[in-house]
Amino acid sequence: MPHLQQWIAGAAAGVLAASLSLVPLSAQEPPKMKMTTEIPDGITTPDNIETQLGDLTFFDGVPDADTTEKIYNLYDFSQAYQAYLNGLKIASMDAMLRGIEEWGPANTTVVQFAELMDSKALFLTPNTTSVYQTAVLRMGDEPMVVETPPNVLGFINNAWFKYVMDFGNLGPDEGKGGKYLILPPGFEGEVSTDGYTDVVQTDTYAHWVLWRGYLDENGSPETAVSQTQEQFRIYPLSQADTPSEMTFVDVSGKEFNTIHLMDARIFEEINNVIQAEPLYGESPELLGYLAAIGIVKGKDFAPDARMQSILERAAAAGAVTVKTLISKPRDELAYWYPGESNWQNAFPGGAYTFTIDGAMKHDFRSAFHFYATGITPAMAFKSPGKGSQYAFTYRDADGNALDGSKTYKLNVPANVPAKDFWSFTLYDNQTRSMLQTDKQFPALGSNDAGLVQNDDGSTDIYFGPEAPEGKESNWLQTVPGKGWNTIMRLYGPLEPWFDQTWRPGEIALVE
């Protein structure tokens, strides 16, 4: 950490603050010529200036060798820093797909949490109540067919972690199960569209397919699991008459990692995708940041010692930046109740593209992809009684970081606007996965047997290393020495959530 602190206090601080603190040391005075005019203040730069990079020396705007090296170190750091913040989403998808393919090959393997996902899985901010099921779709030159089960919330994201399509209850099949034809990048052939729920063009070859089923009336995931095994298929269009058999792997209770790296190796994860995918699906600006640090399609990514040192520093600075962006955003759009509450909104402004008033909100996008997965408009738009809505926080009522060694209380007011149910799940600040405690499922909600309501219909939830006496049924365990954060989920959110006539309490420290 001293190395990182020294860097941020020096050159990186100059980049991030956009402040070079120019201080003239001397000025060269050329003779006045016949055509000389007075140059307005601010156009020229002193030849000798002192900055947070150290002393810089120029001859009438041209740097000497030592200054040139310092400036390019600064420039390359700034490019690497932006590549980290904006390319994190690409690394996240790469890690997701590789994690799933550990259990079997793409197109023929479905990973199922047949007994729900628990805290052993390293998976960004999942819940403990949905029946998670997932697959990898990898395309070649021909269209692929995806057949989906009924009564799920499903979507497909591409290798750039961009939205491709929804299926299931909020998709074109309206929860009845669908048959989708996916056209590969650049496809110009002719295909019949008869018999398909929808035909979708994609920009990449690799895709993440995720769907969440529901527990049945007995609280069992069995129906959701069996319907997927009966109906989910991926196959090339040319094999429509004889599709390959699917393999279904139950990974409940097993170690399962889908999380990208946070150090300089993240650039290798990004490079994996750049080499594998057509570039027209990603922005030229991001591709420019990547090219500046040596990540170029068709070329080996082999940073020399100088660039490797810069990448390590940029990754360290990027890591602390995204942690700050997610836990303490400064834009009021990031909050459900600006100036009054620390509950945050995963999709500020309802923008699943993170574009608001024509401008890309880079801080929102970087924060989201550090914290969570899954890009679909269904998670962001207002749809009373359908889907789900989310509020999360890293901080207590006083704005302090939630501390696993302390005890907190949260009041959930009566008449929670959730047609189906509501829940709170705890997450590890470092892994953004479920907090690993003595409890298999670090979550509590309205469907939990034994949850006690107050006389006024509200519910008090307690968080701490030990349950307050008599509050065991309303308690979530935390870990001393670790921080934590939580997501409140409303399933089937109702109008009082959207018009904010109902809102959750704050997480208050119990003295």
Side-chain angles (χ1 to χ4, degrees):
M1 287 304 293
H3 179 67
L4 169 60
Q5 292 166 351
Q6 181 180 4
W7 176 260
I8 294 177
V15 176
L16 305 184
S19 171
L20 291 178
S21 304
L22 305 185
V23 180
L25 296 182
S26 64
Q28 193 174 16
E29 292 291 342
K32 190 171 184 178
M33 311 300 284
K34 289 183 179 180
M35 297 300 293
T36 297
T37 63
E38 185 173 345
I39 305 301
D41 181 55
I43 290 180
T44 62
T45 303
D47 282 336
N48 300 293
I49 59 178
E50 184 182 85
T51 77
Q52 294 191 41
L53 299 179
D55 292 345
L56 304 181
T57 303
F58 291 74
F59 174 72
D60 202 26
V62 179
D64 65 14
D66 183 58
T67 294
T68 299
E69 181 179 5
K70 291 177 179 178
I71 292 295
Y72 274 116
N73 286 342
L74 171 63
Y75 179 80
D76 289 343
F77 174 87
S78 71
Q79 299 297 287
Y81 179 69
Q82 291 298 332
Y84 185 104
L85 295 180
N86 293 290
L88 184 147
K89 65 187 181 72
I90 301 175
S92 183
M93 179 56 74
D94 179 65
M96 176 68 73
L97 300 185
R98 286 187 289 109
I100 296 169
E101 288 178 306
E102 286 288 322
W103 301 95
N107 300 338
T108 61
T109 305
V110 173
V111 169
Q112 296 181 292
F113 287 89
E115 298 175 27
L116 303 181
M117 191 186 305
D118 65 20
S119 56
K120 278 194 174 181
L122 295 181
F123 195 104
L124 296 181
T125 55
N127 66 61
T128 64
T129 54
S130 296
V131 186
Y132 280 87
Q133 303 177 83
T134 187
V136 175
L137 166 64
R138 290 194 182 272
M139 307 191 70
D141 296 330
E142 70 169 303
M144 298 288 286
V145 180
V146 179
E147 297 186 17
T148 63
N151 194 29
V152 297
L153 291 174
F155 59 79
I156 298 178
N157 286 169
N158 70 17
W160 306 124
F161 226 133
K162 295 181 179 180
Y163 171 75
V164 176
M165 57 168 276
D166 284 304
F167 60 88
N169 297 356
L170 297 179
D173 61 280
E174 299 180 337
K176 300 173 185 177
K179 185 176 181 181
Y180 296 87
L181 185 64
I182 316 297
L183 306 180
F187 183 77
E188 297 180 352
E190 294 186 6
V191 293
S192 172
T193 60
D194 292 342
Y196 296 103
T197 309
D198 200 3
V199 179
V200 180
Q201 175 74 61
T202 185
D203 289 335
T204 66
Y205 295 111
H207 303 81
W208 178 38
V209 188
L210 177 75
W211 60 105
R212 292 176 293 166
Y214 299 91
L215 301 177
D216 62 22
E217 62 275 7
N218 298 315
S220 170
E222 184 176 344
T223 299
V225 170
S226 62
Q227 286 181 333
T228 281
Q229 293 178 356
E230 292 167 4
Q231 296 183 233
F232 187 86
R233 297 289 182 272
I234 298 176
Y235 51 86
L237 181 60
S238 62
Q239 298 177 18
D241 294 333
T242 55
S244 300
E245 289 292 320
M246 302 294 296
T247 300
F248 298 90
V249 183
D250 180 11
V251 296
S252 289
K254 298 179 181 178
E255 295 183 10
F256 178 44
N257 179 32
T258 63
I259 301 177
H260 62 87
L261 298 169
M262 293 293 291
D263 58 24
R265 290 173 293 174
I266 193 174
F267 295 110
E268 298 172 12
E269 295 177 321
I270 295 171
N271 183 61
N272 290 340
V273 183
I274 293 297
Q275 300 307 325
E277 299 293 346
L279 300 184
Y280 56 75
E282 190 47 270
S283 73
E285 182 177 8
L286 174 52
L287 296 175
Y289 290 137
L290 296 173
I293 62 173
I295 298 178
V296 178
K297 189 174 182 66
K299 295 185 178 180
D300 290 338
F301 176 50
D304 58 19
R306 182 192 75 91
M307 181 58 78
Q308 183 61 35
S309 176
I310 288 172
L311 295 179
E312 290 170 0
R313 293 170 176 174
V320 296
T321 298
V322 291
K323 290 177 180 179
T324 301
L325 293 176
I326 192 63
S327 63
K328 291 189 174 182
R330 62 184 180 182
D331 191 323
E332 67 174 20
L333 280 177
Y335 297 91
W336 282 108
Y337 318 102
E340 300 176 1
S341 169
N342 291 316
W343 287 109
Q344 295 172 221
N345 183 355
F347 292 100
Y352 76 96
T353 62
F354 307 104
T355 300
I356 300 175
D357 296 330
M360 170 59 69
K361 300 290 289 185
H362 296 286
D363 51 348
F364 293 161
R365 185 176 67 181
S366 296
F368 176 88
H369 283 290
F370 167 72
Y371 187 64
T373 59
I375 293 296
T376 165
M379 297 175 70
F381 65 62
K382 175 181 177 180
S383 182
K386 298 181 179 180
S388 52
Q389 284 286 300
Y390 312 87
F392 71 96
T393 185
Y394 279 72
R395 292 181 284 162
D396 66 17
D398 298 318
N400 298 317
L402 295 166
D403 184 339
S405 62
K406 298 178 180 179
T407 299
Y408 301 87
K409 176 183 175 181
L410 165 68
N411 180 258
V412 182
N415 303 314
V416 180
K419 180 172 67 69
D420 301 319
F421 64 96
W422 56 266
S423 71
F424 290 86
T425 306
L426 302 190
Y427 298 98
D428 184 306
N429 291 350
Q430 295 288 352
T431 67
R432 294 91 72 206
S433 302
M434 292 184 206
L435 188 67
Q436 295 179 333
T437 67
D438 295 329
K439 190 176 181 180
Q440 182 182 10
F441 301 106
L444 195 61
S446 58
N447 280 353
D448 285 281
L451 188 72
V452 177
Q453 283 191 347
N454 300 321
D455 292 341
D456 63 359
S458 68
T459 304
D460 292 327
I461 306 293
Y462 292 87
F463 310 88
E466 296 180 359
E469 187 175 353
K471 306 297 183 183
E472 290 81 3
S473 61
N474 287 37
W475 165 69
L476 281 168
Q477 186 179 29
T478 59
V479 182
K482 285 194 65 63
W484 55 277
N485 66 87
T486 187
I487 298 178
M488 178 186 71
R489 290 178 169 89
L490 304 181
Y491 293 91
L494 301 174
E495 191 61 39
W497 170 256
F498 295 104
D499 65 20
Q500 298 191 354
T501 55
W502 183 95
R503 57 188 273 187
E506 298 297 304
I507 299 174
L509 182 65
V510 176
E511 299 295 340

